[in-house]
């Protein structure tokens, strides 16, 4: 499989040795060697349901395949990047924060509920499962990893959420008076609550 390395805080280096990685279309900033690129479609499967998911996520998972021998450098908008290793695990990811995938990984999009408020807009989460590597983006600085335990459930701003892994479950908290108190009210009518055992990663800037 292709190997993903943190080349710098804002660039991922994908090393290809007759292998293939998938990355968000438009994220290639340079490459060396004999590398070919082609569209890999949408990461949520095929068919009518996948089309619905694609529209719901704003086509945030428009992927390309990078194949061959060489090195591909990936970045998006000067955001910080982190590489996560998965060993037959499942990672829940905010679609906009997914940069690249390497290895035997499957992607899907799951419906996790309705956003609060009048609009009732759907909330979707991308899941990445299997064995391999995932490159994630974070705005405002490197990812912040917060532990979740039964004694200490975690509540996060949905605009700061990037990913979650482990035996964790997500629910919604609608008492968001604290958002108004600290000046972070932006129309969202809920926050995300995580229970169980695992790690939730957030970014220090809102989307």
């Amino acid at each position: 499989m292709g190997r993903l390395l943190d080349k710098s805080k804002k660039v991922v280096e994908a090393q290809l040795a007759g292998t293939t990685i998938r990355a968000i279309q438009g994220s290639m900033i340079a490459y060396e060697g004999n590398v070919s690129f082609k569209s890999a479609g949408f990461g949520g499967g095929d068919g009518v349901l996948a089309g619905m998911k694609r529209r719901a996520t704003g086509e945030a998972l428009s992927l390309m395949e990078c194949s061959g021998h060489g090195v591909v450098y990936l970045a998006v908008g000067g955001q910080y990047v982190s590489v996560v290793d998965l060993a037959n695990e499942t990672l829940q990811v905010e679609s906009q924060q997914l940069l690249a995938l390497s290895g035997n990984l499957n992607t899907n999009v799951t419906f996790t509920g309705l956003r609060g408020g009048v609009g009732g807009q759907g909330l979707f989460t991308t899941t990445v499962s299997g064995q391999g590597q995932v490159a994630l983006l974070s705005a405002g600085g490197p990812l912040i990893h917060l532990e979740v335990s039964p004694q200490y459930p975690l509540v996060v701003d949905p605009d700061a959420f990037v990913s979650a892994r482990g035996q964790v479950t997500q629910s919604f908290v609608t008492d968001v008076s604290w958002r108004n108190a600290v000046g972070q009210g932006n129309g969202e009518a809920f926050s995300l609550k995580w229970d169980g055992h695992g790690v939730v990663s957030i970014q220090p800037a809102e989307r």
Side-chain angles (χ1 to χ4, degrees):
M1 68 177 185
R3 183 73 179 162
L4 301 178
L5 301 173
D6 296 315
K7 183 64 176 177
S8 74
K9 292 181 179 179
K10 298 183 179 181
V11 179
V12 161
E13 177 184 294
Q15 299 180 343
L16 302 176
T19 49
T20 299
I21 63 107
R22 289 174 289 164
I24 296 301
Q25 286 192 359
S27 61
M28 188 276 291
I29 58 172
Y31 75 92
E32 303 167 343
N34 184 14
V35 180
S36 62
F37 302 87
K38 70 175 184 178
S39 174
F42 172 66
D46 299 311
V48 175
L49 181 59
M52 293 173 61
K53 292 174 180 177
R54 182 173 184 171
R55 288 192 295 274
T57 57
E59 302 194 30
L61 275 183
S62 183
L63 300 174
M64 64 178 178
E65 287 186 358
C66 312
S67 306
H69 292 82
V71 179
V72 180
Y73 300 92
L74 305 168
V76 173
Q79 295 187 70
Y80 287 76
V81 294
S82 300
V83 174
V84 176
D85 293 302
L86 294 183
N88 294 315
E89 303 169 83
T90 296
L91 185 72
Q92 300 177 56
V93 185
E94 164 58 43
S95 298
Q96 298 176 48
Q97 308 308 128
L98 182 62
L99 173 59
L101 305 161
S102 171
N104 187 21
L105 294 171
N106 297 311
T107 59
N108 200 359
V109 178
T110 59
F111 178 73
T112 56
L114 292 174
R115 291 181 182 268
V118 178
Q121 180 183 353
L123 182 66
F124 292 79
T125 299
T126 299
T127 59
V128 181
S129 57
Q131 185 161 355
Q133 294 178 296
V134 184
L136 301 174
L137 297 165
S138 61
L143 284 177
I144 300 167
H145 307 290
L146 302 174
E147 186 175 349
V148 179
S149 67
Q151 296 83 8
Y152 296 100
L154 179 69
V155 177
V156 302
D157 186 321
D159 283 332
F161 170 73
V162 174
S163 67
R165 65 193 298 186
Q167 302 301 315
V168 292
T169 58
Q170 174 193 297
S171 58
F172 298 94
V173 177
T174 56
D175 180 9
V176 290
S177 57
W178 62 272
R179 291 173 64 89
N180 295 327
V182 298
Q184 295 295 312
N186 63 355
E188 297 287 4
F190 69 95
S191 294
L192 301 178
K193 181 181 179 183
W194 298 89
D195 293 277
H197 281 285
V199 174
V200 170
S201 300
I202 62 173
Q203 61 182 5
E206 292 188 329
R207 278 181 288 279

